[in-house]
């Protein structure tokens, strides 16, 4: 019974992977079921306890990633992200008292940048920009580059306002 469940799960993974392609190229072969004489059937780790059922583990979401080494994540309650386009990362960190960092969003035909657009005694405003660099054809990778901006004064307890645009 467990081998049948494993085969069904592997088949689903192959079908989902085939659906993520561009539609061109050969279809990957279906997995070969294990022979009845195999000592140990292949398994897919699920994070479930032995004998339990679970869905496969969800990969780490880059939109809620950890800050880079040597930095400190800012409390999300101090960050306003209403001005960011959907899908832009919202994590903010500091590197020392006068450097503020965010993740950009870039890929095949796009670049990311960040700029300090305002700094008052109460808040710091940073604009994250995703710029299209070519009409294509473009690869489909998506990267989240580290972007840091220097501040004129220590961040202290000021709020951070993230805005963004796509050009």
């Amino acid at each position: 019974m467990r081998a049948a469940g494993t085969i069904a799960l592997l088949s689903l993974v192959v079908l989902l992977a085939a659906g993520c392609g561009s539609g061109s190229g050969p279809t990957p072969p279906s997995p070969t079921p294990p022979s009845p004489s195999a000592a140990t059937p292949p398994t897919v780790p699920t994070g479930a306890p032995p004998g339990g059922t679970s869905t496969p583990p969800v990969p780490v979401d880059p939109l809620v990633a950890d800050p880079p080494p040597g930095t400190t994540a800012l409390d999300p309650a101090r960050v306003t992200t209403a001005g960011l386009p959907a899908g832009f990362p919202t994590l903010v960190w500091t590197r020392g008292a006068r450097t503020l960092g965010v993740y950009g969003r870039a890929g095949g035909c796009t670049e990311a940048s960040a700029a300090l657009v305002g700094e008052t005694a109460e808040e710091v405003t940073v604009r994250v920009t995703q710029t299209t660099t070519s009409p294509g054809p473009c690869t489909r990778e998506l990267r989240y580059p580290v972007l840091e901006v220097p501040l004129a004064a220590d961040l202290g307890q000021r709020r951070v306002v993230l805005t963004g645009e796509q050009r």
Side-chain angles (χ1 to χ4, degrees):
M1 188 72 158
R2 183 177 176 143
T6 300
I7 291 170
L9 182 57
L10 285 173
S11 297
L12 178 61
V13 169
V14 168
L15 288 173
L16 288 174
C20 292
S22 63
S24 62
T27 304
S30 298
T32 308
S35 66
S37 63
T40 305
T43 60
V44 175
T46 64
T53 60
S54 176
T55 57
V58 176
V60 174
D61 184 350
L63 299 179
V64 292
D66 290 328
T71 65
T72 303
L74 198 61
D75 179 356
R78 291 180 54 196
V79 180
T80 301
T81 61
L84 278 179
F88 275 48
T90 59
L91 178 69
V92 177
W93 64 83
T94 58
R95 183 181 306 275
R98 291 193 177 193
T99 301
L100 201 60
V102 296
Y103 285 112
R105 189 175 79 170
C109 290
T110 59
E111 293 178 351
S113 62
L116 181 66
V117 294
E119 190 170 352
T120 68
E122 293 80 34
E123 66 185 30
V124 173
T125 303
V126 175
R127 180 184 310 115
V128 181
T129 304
Q130 181 182 25
T131 306
T132 300
T133 57
S134 170
C138 302
T139 57
R140 292 185 181 186
E141 85 270 5
L142 189 57
R143 296 177 284 109
Y144 295 94
V146 170
L147 306 172
E148 294 184 335
V149 295
L151 303 177
D154 290 358
L155 178 62
Q157 293 303 310
R158 294 186 287 175
R159 295 190 48 77
V160 175
V161 177
L162 293 181
T163 64
E165 66 179 326
Q166 295 172 303
R167 299 186 200 168

